[in-house]
Amino acid sequence: MTTATENPLLEIRKISKFFGSVIALQDVSAFVRAGEVTCLLGDNGAGKSTLIKVLAGVHKPTDGSYFFEGREMDFDSPRDALDLGIATVYQDLAMIPLMSIWRNFFLGSEPTRGFGPFKRYDVDFAKDTTRKEMGKMGIDIRDPDQPVGTLSGGERQSVAIARAVYFGAKVLILDEPTAALGVKQAGTVLKYIVQAKNRGIGVIFITHNPHHAYPVGDHFVVLRRGQVYGDFTKEEIPLEQLVQMMAGGADLEVLQHELETELRRGAEPAAEGAAADDGPSPEDG
Amino acid sequence: MATTAPPAEAPAPSDERVRKVGLVQRLLVLPGTGAVLITIIIWVFFAAVANSNNFVSTAATAAILNRAAPLGILAIAVALLMIAGEFDLSIGSIVGFASMAIMLAVTESGAGGFGWPLWAGALLALAIALLAGFFNGLLVVWTRLPSFIVTLGSLFILRGLAIAITRQRTNRTQLGNLDEVSGFGFFDGLFGTEFTIGGAGFDVAILWWVGLVAIATWILLRTQWGNWIFGTGGAQESARNVGVPVARVKVLLFMTTAFAGFMVALIQAVQFTGADALRGRLQEFNAIIAVVVGGTLLTGGYGSAVGALFGALAFATLQQGVVIWGVDADWFQVFVGGLLVVAVVFNNYIRQRAARR
Ligand SMILES: Nc1ncnc2c1ncn2[C@@H]1O[C@H](COP(=O)(O)OP(=O)(O)O)[C@@H](O)[C@H]1O
Ligand SMILES: [Mg+2]
């Protein structure tokens, strides 16, 4: 249903990111088109958060190129990305615990009134908008002056998402937004992703849950150990296979590890062998 | 598990999950409340023990306020910086250095100075102070070292330079006769005037102090920069990730503390018609004490300029109280230490209540 011929809104080509000797990303390419959802899947430590921090302008890539609306980008700070309408929900949410909800909501992008030395923070607008935007998420905040540190994990996540949705005019990046949420709240977030997509926004949705990714995603990039393991459109891959790829991949590593341990013990006779392997045997990835 | 689901869908205009919090409760959670109470307690204490020495008088009140004003001006800037999560230990040395810059500039060339008019000397000192603050900030931002260490270095460098340069050029470390310099009258009117109320002289610096507190409060609570200051101190990486120019905020705040140092240098040079290279010594610590007594969190992200005002007032009340009471001045440090510990414990208690409100 999406026009697959359209040019990508945001694209990275052969991005690498090293932290000293740590290779967090190696030659990763991915893209998102306007009105589409690109899902980024991968186990813990696969490099998902590092990748979105490159996209958000937090990290400069060690190598590779970054294109936005066809032009090559070189961000010096997250401010540069935000100014282009690329907003991010970070995995740690990027909130200031001691600050109130409305101050957090607009931190870094404060609405102002007046000119010159009388330019001031439009507090009323900020409070109203925060309440309204949170209301749209189905969260009825008690008191916008409440410090964010006193909110529940789910509420805090909702503030971060509402903020990114509000500021993400063109691209919305979400790093495991459903991880800390209950089933119902996770459903709300997925609904949000679809709404953003329908408004023509390009969404990059990071998760390690294929059941969350599949219903909303247009294509799926699987990261493993800092590299792209697979890149599929929805037509190319049924849910079962995506699930199997995620689960099978994990099992494969576990199994491999177990086998190695067993082999090292090889000299000894198989002492009451661990017959615990009841999972589906991994065929081909 | 945090599902205290409201029973009905009805979005009640007044939320049933919010209870009305009384005025006292709301005042109690402000950062400056502890300092106000502490100031009152100190004042009442000395009013009781030093009553026979006329502690309760306009003269004593003027003396307290005159003491508090220069410390208070430093404390405002130190508070802003501390809210952003940094320290400036060099502020006292900047007072000394800026003082000597003013005095050297205006001293006759025959005596080792430049023979400039006062306005030029003030501009020179301002430029030097802002430059020192700029370098402090740049070094902290670039090296990511604790500002405690970086500005401890500046503390010694600037103090050493103030003494060494002055002595080398003039063979002295004290310079006077500022009132004979051209343009003194204008500056004296701005910074050196005394208002006589009830027979006691109140320095015009008190007005500067209160005015700057008002400006700082406005910046903190009602401007974008204020939001950035709180954000920078509250969680630096998060603030940066949502687009706050953290480095710029810090550098500008180091320049602000340096500016406060310059203000105090100018005010005191005019008041005393001269300066000593040691001027401002230990003021960096006194200012930090005032700010912490005023409820600002040492780790950043929380605090107020009004709190710093009362912190400076508490400090000055204590200092003047000890003098008027007539106990040996040696005891003053004991009281200051006690004040600091009591205030921190008290503010900590208040803040915990604020978090649980
Ligand atoms: N700032 C950093 N310095 C060093 N190593 C890092 C840094 N950030 C991430 N890494 C490493 O990069 C790898 C990928 O991390 P991350 O992107 O957080 O994974 P994911 O989000 O997929 O769980 C991990 O091995 C992590 O330890
Ligand atoms: Mg992650």
Short mmCIF file of all heavy atoms in Angstrom, two decimals, chain A residues 19 22 24 43-51 59 91 176, ligand 1:
data_model
loop_
_atom_site.label_atom_id
_atom_site.label_comp_id
_atom_site.label_asym_id
_atom_site.label_seq_id
_atom_site.Cartn_x
_atom_site.Cartn_y
_atom_site.Cartn_z
N PHE A 19 33.89 2.59 19.68
CA PHE A 19 34.23 3.26 20.95
C PHE A 19 35.57 2.69 21.38
O PHE A 19 35.60 1.60 21.95
CB PHE A 19 33.20 2.97 22.03
CG PHE A 19 31.82 3.50 21.72
CD1 PHE A 19 30.81 2.64 21.34
CD2 PHE A 19 31.55 4.85 21.83
CE1 PHE A 19 29.54 3.12 21.07
CE2 PHE A 19 30.28 5.34 21.56
CZ PHE A 19 29.27 4.47 21.17
N VAL A 22 36.04 -1.04 21.03
CA VAL A 22 34.72 -1.66 20.88
C VAL A 22 34.11 -1.31 19.52
O VAL A 22 34.00 -0.13 19.18
CB VAL A 22 33.76 -1.19 22.00
CG1 VAL A 22 32.37 -1.77 21.78
CG2 VAL A 22 34.30 -1.59 23.36
N ALA A 24 30.90 -1.07 17.91
CA ALA A 24 29.47 -1.12 18.23
C ALA A 24 28.64 -1.30 16.96
O ALA A 24 27.62 -1.97 16.99
CB ALA A 24 29.06 0.15 18.96
N ASP A 43 18.99 -8.38 19.44
CA ASP A 43 19.12 -8.72 20.85
C ASP A 43 19.81 -7.60 21.61
O ASP A 43 20.30 -6.64 21.02
CB ASP A 43 19.95 -10.00 20.99
CG ASP A 43 19.05 -11.20 21.14
OD1 ASP A 43 17.92 -11.00 21.61
OD2 ASP A 43 19.47 -12.31 20.77
N ASN A 44 19.88 -7.77 22.93
CA ASN A 44 20.60 -6.80 23.74
C ASN A 44 22.06 -6.74 23.30
O ASN A 44 22.67 -7.78 23.04
CB ASN A 44 20.54 -7.19 25.22
CG ASN A 44 19.15 -6.99 25.77
OD1 ASN A 44 18.44 -6.09 25.34
ND2 ASN A 44 18.75 -7.82 26.70
N GLY A 45 22.57 -5.54 23.19
CA GLY A 45 23.97 -5.38 22.81
C GLY A 45 24.21 -5.46 21.32
O GLY A 45 25.35 -5.39 20.87
N ALA A 46 23.14 -5.57 20.53
CA ALA A 46 23.31 -5.69 19.08
C ALA A 46 23.76 -4.37 18.46
O ALA A 46 24.26 -4.35 17.35
CB ALA A 46 22.00 -6.15 18.45
N GLY A 47 23.56 -3.26 19.18
CA GLY A 47 23.97 -1.96 18.66
C GLY A 47 22.80 -1.07 18.28
O GLY A 47 22.99 -0.03 17.65
N LYS A 48 21.60 -1.45 18.69
CA LYS A 48 20.41 -0.68 18.32
C LYS A 48 20.46 0.74 18.87
O LYS A 48 20.25 1.72 18.15
CB LYS A 48 19.13 -1.37 18.85
CG LYS A 48 18.98 -2.82 18.42
CD LYS A 48 17.66 -3.41 18.88
CE LYS A 48 17.52 -3.52 20.40
NZ LYS A 48 18.48 -4.44 21.02
N SER A 49 20.75 0.86 20.17
CA SER A 49 20.78 2.20 20.78
C SER A 49 21.89 3.05 20.20
O SER A 49 21.73 4.26 19.99
CB SER A 49 20.94 2.09 22.30
OG SER A 49 19.82 1.46 22.86
N THR A 50 23.03 2.42 19.94
CA THR A 50 24.13 3.16 19.33
C THR A 50 23.70 3.70 17.97
O THR A 50 23.98 4.86 17.63
CB THR A 50 25.36 2.25 19.18
OG1 THR A 50 25.65 1.67 20.45
CG2 THR A 50 26.56 3.02 18.69
N LEU A 51 23.00 2.87 17.21
CA LEU A 51 22.56 3.29 15.88
C LEU A 51 21.60 4.48 15.97
O LEU A 51 21.76 5.47 15.25
CB LEU A 51 21.89 2.12 15.16
CG LEU A 51 21.44 2.41 13.72
CD1 LEU A 51 22.63 2.85 12.87
CD2 LEU A 51 20.78 1.19 13.10
N HIS A 59 25.88 10.71 18.68
CA HIS A 59 27.21 10.21 18.31
C HIS A 59 27.50 10.60 16.87
O HIS A 59 26.62 10.53 16.02
CB HIS A 59 27.26 8.69 18.37
CG HIS A 59 27.13 8.12 19.74
ND1 HIS A 59 27.71 8.70 20.84
CD2 HIS A 59 26.50 7.01 20.19
CE1 HIS A 59 27.44 7.97 21.90
NE2 HIS A 59 26.68 6.95 21.55
N GLN A 91 16.26 5.38 24.96
CA GLN A 91 15.95 4.24 25.83
C GLN A 91 15.93 4.69 27.30
O GLN A 91 15.10 4.25 28.07
CB GLN A 91 16.98 3.13 25.62
CG GLN A 91 16.54 1.82 26.22
CD GLN A 91 17.38 0.66 25.70
OE1 GLN A 91 18.41 0.84 25.06
NE2 GLN A 91 16.93 -0.55 25.98
N GLU A 176 13.09 1.16 21.94
CA GLU A 176 12.39 0.24 22.85
C GLU A 176 11.34 0.96 23.70
O GLU A 176 11.38 0.91 24.92
CB GLU A 176 13.41 -0.47 23.77
CG GLU A 176 14.51 -1.09 22.95
CD GLU A 176 14.99 -2.42 23.51
OE1 GLU A 176 14.29 -3.00 24.35
OE2 GLU A 176 16.07 -2.86 23.08
N1 LIG C 1 29.75 4.90 24.99
C1 LIG C 1 30.14 3.61 24.80
N2 LIG C 1 31.41 3.25 25.05
C2 LIG C 1 31.81 1.97 24.85
N3 LIG C 1 31.01 0.99 24.42
C3 LIG C 1 29.73 1.27 24.15
C4 LIG C 1 29.22 2.61 24.33
N4 LIG C 1 27.92 2.61 23.99
C5 LIG C 1 27.62 1.34 23.62
N5 LIG C 1 28.71 0.54 23.73
C6 LIG C 1 28.76 -0.90 23.39
O1 LIG C 1 28.19 -1.08 22.11
C7 LIG C 1 27.43 -2.26 22.08
C8 LIG C 1 26.01 -1.99 21.60
O2 LIG C 1 25.29 -1.31 22.61
P1 LIG C 1 23.81 -0.78 22.41
O3 LIG C 1 23.79 0.02 21.17
O4 LIG C 1 23.40 -0.11 23.65
O5 LIG C 1 22.99 -2.14 22.21
P2 LIG C 1 21.43 -2.38 22.22
O6 LIG C 1 20.73 -1.08 22.34
O7 LIG C 1 21.15 -3.07 20.92
O8 LIG C 1 21.13 -3.28 23.38
C9 LIG C 1 27.47 -2.86 23.47
O9 LIG C 1 28.42 -3.89 23.48
C10 LIG C 1 27.92 -1.72 24.34
O10 LIG C 1 28.66 -2.18 25.42
#
